[in-house]
Amino acid sequence: MHRFLILIGFLIIKTRLETVCPAESSNEKCSKLLSNLTIGSMENLDIEAAEALNKTCFELVDCYAEIDCEQAQKNKTFYQNLCERKELEMFETEACIKTFHSERKGKSFECMKDFEFFSKDESVRREAYTSGKSCFLEVTQNCSDLSINFIGKRFSHLVSIMARKTDEKSCEPIQDKLLSSQCSWELTELYDELTKQQTHALKSQIKGIVMQNLTEMCQDSKICLSTGCHVTERLTPVSEMCDNLNTPKQKLSNCLKSLVYSTDTLKKYKCTNMSDAKPNWYGSHSIEAYMFLTDKECVKTLIKAECEESIMEGIDEHWTEVGRVMAGASTN
Ligand SMILES: *[C@@H]1O[C@H](CO)[C@@H](O)[C@H](O)[C@H]1NC(C)=O
Ligand SMILES: *[C@@H]1O[C@H](CO)[C@@H](O)[C@H](O)[C@H]1NC(C)=O
Ligand SMILES: *[C@@H]1O[C@H](CO)[C@@H](O)[C@H](O)[C@H]1NC(C)=O
Ligand SMILES: *[C@@H]1O[C@H](CO)[C@@H](O)[C@H](O)[C@H]1NC(C)=O
Ligand SMILES: *[C@@H]1O[C@H](CO)[C@@H](O)[C@H](O)[C@H]1NC(C)=O
Ligand SMILES: *[C@@H]1O[C@H](CO)[C@@H](O)[C@H](O)[C@H]1NC(C)=O
């Protein structure tokens, strides 16, 4: 028994690194590389400068790797991660991946439909990038010279990054950064449509802004957002927005907003005290326009006449959350 413990103790000592690093003089080479690295700026580089900086960075990693002590090995790991990040940054890879992701729906490139670049499963992603290389190259052909250079030389490295598991807890690793743009397409389309409908409703001063059916777009976005890491963070606001599109509360809010923005409508009602108000530009609103919100009877009169009938049903329930809040927003 004792012998066994001694043996284990011996093995632990044997495999542990020297904790004390050799004096600075013996790693002068690393310090020089480090100082060369910190001189250069990492932005707006040409290919030659980026390559030189990238080379120095990985030489630093190799330099620390050769020193057999704890702090040096820690440095090695630290700079390994840093250099990988900086390489992607210097060669403008993130922007290029974003371009690639914007083709998610395969609108311009049929080949996008043939590979599962967006799979939640990292081994499926690996397979997609490997067998779909020519498709990837076709879609990214207009990326910057720097990123084209990177892709040309480092494609298999890129594949290995894209095929890493995401870290759902920290969302820190580079793969998560690169993967984070994969739902941009859905979200852009959803927000565009929402904004378009809101603008249209305000412009035409129709009776309350009632969202058209965005259910399908919401569903697309939710599915996409549930398969990522950074993207999952954005799921909650999108879900909330989608779930609230046609609730009585949202309708009340939309109706009141459209009234506040429509001086012409407000002028028609005595209780608003706005008969003398000058017409406003579309999209602008005055402090006085909010005053009717302080008078619930007045609000009810306007809703009854100007907005969708069903909105009246929810008014007592949602008044405090919606009307009061809007009225409050005008006075402070
Ligand atoms: C640091 O940069 C200088 C000037 O570019 C170069 O001469 C030197 O060899 C570099 N040092 C290392 C360790 O790479
Ligand atoms: C580790 O890196 C730091 C700079 O980040 C440096 O000052 C230190 O000397 C390095 N340690 C070793 C053992 O090389
Ligand atoms: C790349 O640019 C060319 C010329 O501007 C254009 O015709 C082509 O459609 C672009 N390709 C992509 C993938 O955007
Ligand atoms: C960056 O440096 C590493 C290590 O020297 C090398 O393998 C890689 O090809 C370089 N990347 C680019 C884009 O030149
Ligand atoms: C909204 O659209 C979806 C899909 O087109 C459909 O299934 C759903 O019934 C629609 N809902 C409403 C309230 O119109
Ligand atoms: C309108 O003016 C009357 C009389 O000055 C006042 O009592 C009432 O609170 C005002 N209503 C609004 C909505 O400002």
Side-chain angles (χ1 to χ4, degrees), residues 44-152:
N44 300 319
L45 301 168
D46 58 22
I47 290 180
E48 213 171 63
E51 278 180 345
L53 221 46
N54 170 60
K55 187 162 161 272
T56 307
C57 200
F58 283 102
E59 274 171 8
L60 180 66
V61 175
D62 292 342
C63 184
Y64 284 130
E66 281 164 17
I67 306 172
D68 192 16
C69 67
E70 202 175 292
Q71 188 53 46
Q73 292 305 308
K74 273 190 188 155
N75 278 6
K76 184 204 122 185
T77 311
F78 174 79
Y79 283 104
Q80 176 85 48
N81 289 329
L82 185 77
C83 295
E84 229 179 54
R85 246 174 222 280
K86 289 294 172 191
E87 185 186 8
L88 294 171
E89 205 175 292
M90 289 189 298
F91 290 92
E92 298 169 350
T93 315
E94 210 179 317
C96 188
I97 292 290
K98 219 173 189 171
T99 307
F100 178 66
H101 283 161
S102 72
E103 286 300 330
R104 183 183 176 88
K105 287 279 155 145
K107 278 196 175 155
S108 322
F109 298 91
E110 281 291 317
C111 70
M112 288 296 279
K113 295 186 178 118
D114 300 336
F115 306 98
E116 293 187 60
F117 293 113
F118 299 93
S119 173
K120 192 175 183 167
D121 180 334
E122 57 275 4
S123 60
V124 174
R125 282 204 302 275
R126 177 186 299 280
E127 170 56 25
Y129 277 88
T130 309
S131 55
K133 182 177 177 182
S134 61
C135 181
F136 180 86
L137 296 182
E138 195 189 334
V139 177
T140 56
Q141 61 185 299
N142 287 356
C143 285
S144 71
D145 287 348
L146 278 159
S147 29
I148 301 271
N149 179 283
F150 173 83
I151 292 163

